[in-house]
Amino acid sequence: MSRRGMLGFCRDNDDRDELKKWMWGLRKYEEAERMAGCSKLQVPDFNIPDRAPWPEDCGLMEHEEGLWRTWEPRRQRLVQRSKVKWKRIMKEREKQRQFQFAQLRLAHQKCKVQKVNIYWGQGMLREVALESPWL
């Protein structure tokens, strides 16, 4: 099977079914576009039967699907490996977020808060609390 084929992007049967629906939708859209001159133009129906064949070159796609199925254990191992890597990345990112939050909290504790009155004309408009680590 050509690794550049669209079926190579599918991780499992759900992805394969979505690809098939997408291909059928494109086929129906192309047919609707071709029949654009007709007055009975309908929106393509993306619902296809479960056992529908592939819309393009059915024999070739069934052959590719058979090859795709033979590589399923390897593909599932790769998906699992990717999930483990992603989980590790998310744990590391959570540690980074906690560290940054702790740094911000520490910086906030070091800041001095000064209250400043803002005047406009004769009277006071507002009292504002300003934080500054340099004061």
Side-chain angles (χ1 to χ4, degrees), residues 93-109:
R93 188 67 188 116
E94 182 62 29
K95 286 179 187 176
Q96 290 172 356
R97 278 194 294 270
Q98 288 175 355
F99 178 72
Q100 287 176 346
F101 184 69
Q103 292 286 1
L104 285 173
R105 195 172 342 133
L106 184 63
H108 183 69
Q109 289 173 355

Side-chain angles (χ1 to χ4, degrees), residues 31-102:
E31 288 175 10
E33 217 174 44
R34 188 173 42 88
M35 297 171 52
C38 299
S39 61
K40 297 180 180 180
L41 183 63
Q42 296 178 352
V43 177
D45 182 19
F46 287 97
N47 296 325
I48 59 168
D50 291 336
R51 295 288 183 194
W54 290 91
E56 305 286 335
D57 197 2
C58 192
L60 174 66
M61 286 304 291
E62 285 177 359
H63 174 70
E64 282 192 18
E65 188 175 356
L67 293 173
W68 179 78
R69 287 184 192 281
T70 60
W71 287 97
E72 189 164 6
R74 180 180 182 272
R75 197 172 46 254
Q76 292 305 317
R77 282 194 307 270
L78 290 174
V79 168
Q80 287 303 105
R81 201 174 297 153
S82 295
K83 285 181 180 179
V84 168
K85 285 180 184 178
W86 184 249
K87 194 178 283 187
R88 194 176 321 134
I89 288 169
M90 294 307 292
K91 282 182 182 178
E92 181 64 29
R93 188 67 188 116
E94 182 62 29
K95 286 179 187 176
Q96 290 172 356
R97 278 194 294 270
Q98 288 175 355
F99 178 72
Q100 287 176 346
F101 184 69

